[in-house]
């Protein structure tokens, strides 16, 4: 009954106040500015026997029903190939929608959205709006994010990020650097050029983070130190998964490493 009462009063209020409804928002004309109450006569509000007064407090209650604040201050974070979008909570809302590259997704009541495995080198766009029962608020300002293909500087604090077979192969150009694999890599059966040999072993660090390196092929039956890495000396390889390999060599042959020595950690 309270809701019916409010809606009936709202209807009369809109009729008398020249209120304009635009995209679910009530915008009062200049006539309402500074007014604290409006009187609704019996001829308009038939359910009442006597004249009814809408006070400023009721006006605020009605306004709270039909307006939803704009979501502000979207914050973006990049972690490998994941993009996280955070925003501040809007009071009284029941859920949020986020538009991700043009697609609208219901995010429930959460104020965080994670775009997993976002495409690298592509501009991604995001905006958010709040929903209060059956009323939808305006879209937030749009934020855009691009994950650069080449990131990191090869240090322990900021390792090179490896996403492609070409980047994996380029490890041989900096054998003492730090690397992190951030995606599964398919060698696609192409003949692999071994990383680190007897004269120039790999001495850096690679964290595979559980990602797979698939379809590795090496056919060098007359050569030594054969594997994804030919020789590792004092380096570190961890969390690397090798799947579906065909490796042939002479001495010191392995799938991940042909030979490890020194204080290597595999």
């Amino acid at each position: 009954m309270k809701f019916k009462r409010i809606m009936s009063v709202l209807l009369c209020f809109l009729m008398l106040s020249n209120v304009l409804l635009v995209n679910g928002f009530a915008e009062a004309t200049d006539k309402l500015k500074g007014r604290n109450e409006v009187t609704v006569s019996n001829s308009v509000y038939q359910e009442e026997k006597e004249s009814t007064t809408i006070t400023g407090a009721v006006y605020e209650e009605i306004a709270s029903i039909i307006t939803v604040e704009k979501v502000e201050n979207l914050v973006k974070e990049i972690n490998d190939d994941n993009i996280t979008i955070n925003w501040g909570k809007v009071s009284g809302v029941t859920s949020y929608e986020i538009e991700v590259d043009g697609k609208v997704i219901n995010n429930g009541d959460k104020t965080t959205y994670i775009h997993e495995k976002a495409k690298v080198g592509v501009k991604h766009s995001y905006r958010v709006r709040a929903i209060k029962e059956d009323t939808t608020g305006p879209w937030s300002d749009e934020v855009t994010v691009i994950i650069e293909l080449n990131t990191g500087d090869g240090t322990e604090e900021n390792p090179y990020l490896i996403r492609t077979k070409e980047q994996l192969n380029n490890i041989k150009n900096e054998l003492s650097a730090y690397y992190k694999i951030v995606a599964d890599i398919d060698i696609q059966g192409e003949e692999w050029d071994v990383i680190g040999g007897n004269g120039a072993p790999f001495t850096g660090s690679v964290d595979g983070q559980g990602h797979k390196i698939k379809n590795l092929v090496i056919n060098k039956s007359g050569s030594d130190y054969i594997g994804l890495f030919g020789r590792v000396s004092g380096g570190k390889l961890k969390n690397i998964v090798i799947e579906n390999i065909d490796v042939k060599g002479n001495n010191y042959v392995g799938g991940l490493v042909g030979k490890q020595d020194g204080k290597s950690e595999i």
Side-chain angles (χ1 to χ4, degrees):
M1 290 298 294
K2 180 180 178 181
F3 180 74
K4 180 178 178 182
R5 163 81 172 171
I6 291 175
M7 293 308 295
S8 298
V9 173
L10 172 60
L11 177 60
C12 297
F13 177 71
L14 295 177
M15 293 173 62
L16 292 178
S17 308
N18 295 324
V19 172
L20 206 54
L21 289 178
V22 180
N23 295 330
F25 289 92
E27 297 178 354
T29 62
D30 291 340
K31 295 180 181 180
L32 288 176
K33 292 182 179 179
R35 294 176 63 176
N36 292 322
E37 64 179 37
V38 177
T39 299
V40 181
S41 66
N42 292 333
S43 61
V44 176
Y45 185 53
Q46 297 297 332
E47 291 186 24
E48 287 291 333
K49 299 300 182 181
E50 297 179 356
S51 182
T52 302
T53 297
I54 303 176
T55 65
V58 175
Y59 172 80
E60 291 178 1
E61 182 178 0
I62 293 172
S64 69
I65 293 174
I66 61 178
T67 62
V68 181
E69 294 178 23
K70 179 179 178 180
V71 176
E72 302 283 359
N73 302 322
L74 269 65
V75 178
K76 54 192 178 183
E77 299 176 7
I78 301 175
N79 182 18
D80 296 338
D81 55 354
N82 296 332
I83 300 173
T84 300
I85 304 295
N86 295 292
W87 58 91
K89 185 176 181 180
V90 177
S91 177
V93 305
T94 52
S95 63
Y96 300 91
E97 288 182 335
I98 181 167
E99 184 183 71
V100 181
D101 297 336
K103 180 181 179 180
V104 178
I105 299 171
N106 189 320
N107 203 54
D109 60 356
K110 299 180 178 63
T111 57
T112 295
Y113 175 82
I114 300 177
H115 187 176
E116 297 181 340
K117 297 182 178 180
K119 289 185 178 180
V120 177
V122 175
K123 183 171 75 172
H124 299 281
S125 62
Y126 308 89
R127 55 182 186 161
V128 177
R129 62 186 177 187
I131 299 173
K132 189 176 189 179
E133 296 180 356
D134 295 328
T135 304
T136 301
W139 285 111
S140 68
D141 295 336
E142 182 179 85
V143 298
T144 59
V145 183
I146 299 177
I147 302 177
E148 300 294 339
L149 185 59
N150 296 310
T151 55
D153 58 16
T155 61
E156 184 174 6
E157 295 78 16
N158 188 27
Y160 289 124
L161 302 184
I162 305 297
R163 297 183 175 89
T164 67
K165 61 182 178 181
E166 290 78 15
Q167 290 177 328
L168 182 65
N169 187 53
N170 285 338
I171 290 178
K172 64 171 59 72
N173 298 324
E174 293 188 54
L175 293 170
S176 61
Y178 288 79
Y179 300 88
K180 183 189 291 185
I181 299 174
V182 296
D184 292 347
I185 298 174
D186 190 349
I187 306 299
Q188 299 176 321
E190 298 177 6
E191 181 73 18
W192 181 252
D193 190 8
V194 175
I195 300 171
N198 186 36
F202 178 76
T203 59
S205 173
V206 179
D207 182 356
Q209 299 191 111
H211 289 292
K212 298 177 181 179
I213 297 176
K214 301 180 289 185
N215 302 316
L216 174 67
V217 174
I218 306 175
N219 187 11
K220 297 183 179 180
S221 300
S223 300
D224 300 333
Y225 304 99
I226 299 300
L228 180 67
F229 291 81
R231 180 186 169 201
V232 177
S233 180
K236 180 186 293 185
L237 305 177
K238 66 177 183 178
N239 304 321
I240 302 173
V241 179
I242 304 293
E243 183 178 280
N244 191 26
I245 63 173
D246 182 7
V247 176
K248 297 181 178 66
N250 187 28
N251 296 311
Y252 307 117
V253 179
L256 179 60
V257 181
K259 182 182 180 182
Q260 66 180 80
D261 50 35
K263 296 182 179 180
S264 302
E265 298 180 31
I266 308 296

